[in-house]
Amino acid sequence: MTATPINVVILAAGKGKRMRSELPKVLHPIAGKAMLCHVIDTARALGAVRICVVYGHGGEIVPHTLAADDLLWAKQEPQLGTGHAVLQALPHLDPALPTLVLYGDVPLIQVDTLRKLVALAGDDTLALLTVVMDDPHGYGRIVRLHGQIVRIVEEKDADDAERGIREVNTGIIVAPTGALRRWLPQLGNRNAQGEYYLTDTTAIAVAEGIAVKAAHPANGWEVEGINSKIQLAALERIQQGNVARRLLDDGVMLADPARIDVRGELTCGRDVSIDVNNVFEGRVDLGDGVAIGPNCVLRNVTVAAGARIQAFCHIEDATVGANSVVGPYARLRPGTELGEDVHIGNFVEIKNSRIAAHSKANHLAYIGDATIGSRVNVGAGTITCNYDGANKHRTVIEDDVFIGSDTQLVAPVTVGRGATLGAGTTLTRDAPADQLTVSRARQVSVAGWKRPVKTKK
Ligand code: UD1
Ligand code: CA
């Protein structure tokens, strides 16, 4: 990251009425992260010296949610326009550095595009990010004379000829901060919307003889704003496409780049393969050679090299050891730590438990608050009764234990090294090492016993 000697102002005071939501617009997530947070992170990646967020609508929720040491906050109340919004931020800015204006609801702007724009900036230059659109409806138009930008006119204030202009204002600008101090207090609001337009600074700059230059985004979606859930959903897809492309570039094999959702940070080693319809949330780390089957959800998970997660697993706050095999249909809940070469099969639920190397629980089990050693076999239908209705207790199963099917381990209880529990055992006291412990009743057969028959009414 190279530091850029620049202030960044992020406008985020608007209401976002069309989102039809209690949540302030800029806190709605894209790829699992508040849209305003994308813009803040981009400003950070640019290496901005100061970042000031202008907030207003939704009150203190926005600064409370996103508070960080490197952020400055300026409250704009009431919201009288984009020029008025930037004016609120001015006292927070370093007057010796230029100021870049970004928008909390334009989340996918990229650092490379901003670098191109910032490269145009200077003490006597106003730099605008503009784009040519097939349908410019609704945007401010860039008015040029002999090729030079002379002003910006808003859609609602434009005449027919101006509405025909297809080069539009993205709203993103870099201006000398000293100039903003002169210009912003001069803005009037005698226009169709009765607002103080930031865009009117362009004509003022031209009148002062300051050069106005334009740069353009590398991709159209970088400057798309979000005003509705439809636009939010569209940019979510674009961002997921970006993430998928980055993964493919890094050598990850995706069965279908259109069917992966990364809502956080996914890092992958070499030769990782990911089948369709997986959701990755929070921080997920996949080691070399890891394979993820279709339809899994992984949230804050580390999967070590060579492990396989098979179809339909749900894994949260857990670690999976090297060369382990999980699923299909397994649920690993918070606090699960699997060692190397552990096998967890279908309909097995594990919570707050450590299972050491080469152990297996292949069918229909609940393992909660347990510490399980190496080379343990947990039979089908085994349950740790970890909860007595008031408190949770631990189950300890030492190395080389064999647990027969349909066993209940009533915690707190310990099964000693090398012990075997017979099928159907309800273990209420510790089982000694190397012995067979069985608790079930002796099998009897009752001669002459008849099944009950239905009584006639
Ligand atoms: C603005 C531009 C327009 C440009 C368009 C691109 C102006 C006058 N017009 O129009 O040229 O084509 O963006 O999308 O700047 N905001 C505040 N406080 C305010 C007003 C707005 O924080 O008082 C924030 C809003 O939350 C929003 C952004 O600024 O994120 C843009 O405001 P909006 O009113 O939507 O401007 P547009 O009419 O879209
Ligand atoms: Ca807008």
Side-chain angles (χ1 to χ4, degrees):
M1 184 178 99
T2 35
T4 308
I6 198 165
N7 303 295
V8 172
V9 173
I10 303 173
L11 302 194
K15 180 162 180 353
K17 201 167 92 196
R18 284 199 281 147
M19 295 298 278
R20 299 185 186 284
S21 170
E22 289 302 310
L23 190 68
K25 174 164 80 172
V26 293
L27 294 184
H28 281 77
I30 295 264
K33 184 164 86 175
M35 60 173 103
L36 174 55
C37 229
H38 283 268
V39 183
I40 291 170
D41 284 346
T42 300
R44 286 172 174 148
L46 193 62
V49 173
R50 293 194 196 171
I51 303 173
C52 179
V53 182
V54 180
Y55 71 104
H57 206 91
E60 305 302 314
I61 303 168
V62 174
H64 275 168
T65 309
L66 300 181
D69 289 346
D70 63 341
L71 298 181
L72 302 158
W73 299 90
K75 189 166 188 172
Q76 186 201 17
E77 186 112 89
Q79 289 97 44
L80 301 180
T82 49
H84 177 256
V86 176
L87 185 63
Q88 312 310 307
L90 271 188
H92 293 291
L93 308 181
D94 182 338
L97 302 177
T99 294
L100 164 66
V101 180
L102 299 176
Y103 298 82
D105 59 359
V106 182
L108 299 189
I109 187 70
Q110 303 291 299
V111 171
D112 287 349
T113 290
L114 293 178
R115 284 199 200 288
K116 277 195 298 181
L117 184 67
V118 168
L120 299 178
D123 284 345
D124 45 13
T125 307
L126 172 63
L128 310 178
L129 192 67
T130 75
V131 70
V132 175
M133 285 186 171
D134 291 335
D135 176 15
H137 182 83
Y139 288 89
R141 307 298 206 283
I142 303 295
V143 181
R144 289 178 183 262
L145 199 66
H146 311 303
Q148 297 298 308
I149 296 173
V150 291
R151 62 193 179 91
I152 299 174
V153 60
E154 292 303 296
E155 165 93 21
K156 287 181 177 139
D157 301 294
D159 61 29
D160 285 348
E162 288 163 340
R163 283 203 192 100
I165 298 170
R166 293 197 303 122
E167 186 184 7
V168 308
N169 172 36
T170 64
I172 295 172
I173 66 167
V174 181
T177 304
L180 286 175
R181 287 182 161 195
R182 286 195 308 279
W183 299 340
L184 295 177
Q186 295 179 42
L187 295 176
N189 66 349
R190 262 184 262 142
N191 51 50
Q193 302 181 76
E195 289 180 6
Y196 298 91
Y197 290 164
L198 179 62
T199 45
D200 284 349
T201 56
T202 296
I204 303 176
V206 171
E208 282 191 4
I210 282 187
V212 180
K213 296 181 184 167
H216 313 291
N219 311 281
W221 47 257
E222 291 184 45
V223 295
E224 275 175 34
I226 294 177
N227 295 304
S228 66
K229 293 276 167 67
I230 289 178
Q231 290 166 334
L232 179 69
L235 283 197
E236 175 74 23
R237 283 301 98 209
I238 284 167
Q239 181 63 359
Q240 292 302 343
N242 293 342
V243 171
R245 232 177 344 268
R246 216 172 299 144
L247 290 168
L248 290 167
D249 263 347
D250 288 347
V252 177
M253 189 150 100
L254 300 180
D256 182 355
R259 283 184 289 169
I260 176 171
D261 287 86
V262 180
R263 301 173 191 156
E265 231 178 292
L266 172 63
T267 55
C268 296
R270 289 177 80 81
D271 297 307
V272 166
S273 76
I274 299 174
D275 213 322
V276 298
N277 297 335
N278 285 295
V279 178
F280 299 95
E281 300 184 333
R283 267 209 67 99
V284 176
D285 242 299
L286 306 180
D288 293 346
V290 165
I292 310 289
N295 301 298
C296 297
V297 177
L298 276 70
R299 179 184 304 131
N300 300 322
V301 174
T302 300
V303 183
R308 265 188 299 147
I309 310 295
Q310 310 201 88
F312 298 100
C313 288
H314 191 283
I315 308 183
E316 181 178 3
D317 294 312
T319 60
V320 175
N323 301 312
S324 289
V325 182
V326 177
Y329 301 101
R331 178 167 183 214
L332 306 184
R333 291 171 51 201
T336 297
E337 290 174 39
L338 306 184
E340 196 185 324
D341 181 40
V342 167
H343 290 207
I344 302 300
N346 41 234
F347 309 109
V348 173
E349 174 182 349
I350 304 178
K351 184 214 77 172
N352 189 29
S353 295
R354 276 211 329 268
I355 301 184
H358 316 296
S359 289
K360 297 184 169 75
N362 270 328
H363 331 268
L364 300 155
Y366 171 61
I367 299 170
D369 303 304
T371 304
I372 299 182
S374 298
R375 296 170 302 279
V376 168
N377 188 84
V378 176
T382 296
I383 289 180
T384 55
C385 310
N386 58 326
Y387 186 52
D388 60 14
N391 296 297
K392 299 275 171 69
H393 303 281
R394 283 201 84 77
T395 299
V396 176
I397 301 172
E398 296 180 353
D399 293 345
D400 300 298
V401 163
F402 181 96
I403 305 212
S405 299
D406 193 27
T407 292
Q408 300 93 53
L409 299 122
V410 182
V413 74
T414 295
V415 183
R417 172 187 287 263
T420 299
L421 302 188
T425 291
T426 299
L427 195 73
T428 52
R429 280 172 288 129
D430 292 354
D434 298 317
Q435 295 185 18
L436 170 67
T437 299
V438 203
S439 76
R440 59 179 183 253
R442 194 174 295 274
Q443 180 169 326
V444 292
S445 300
V446 181
W449 180 82
K450 289 275 186 304
R451 282 190 197 168
V453 290
K454 211 169 183 155
T455 46
K456 289 213 173 75
K457 288 184 192 140

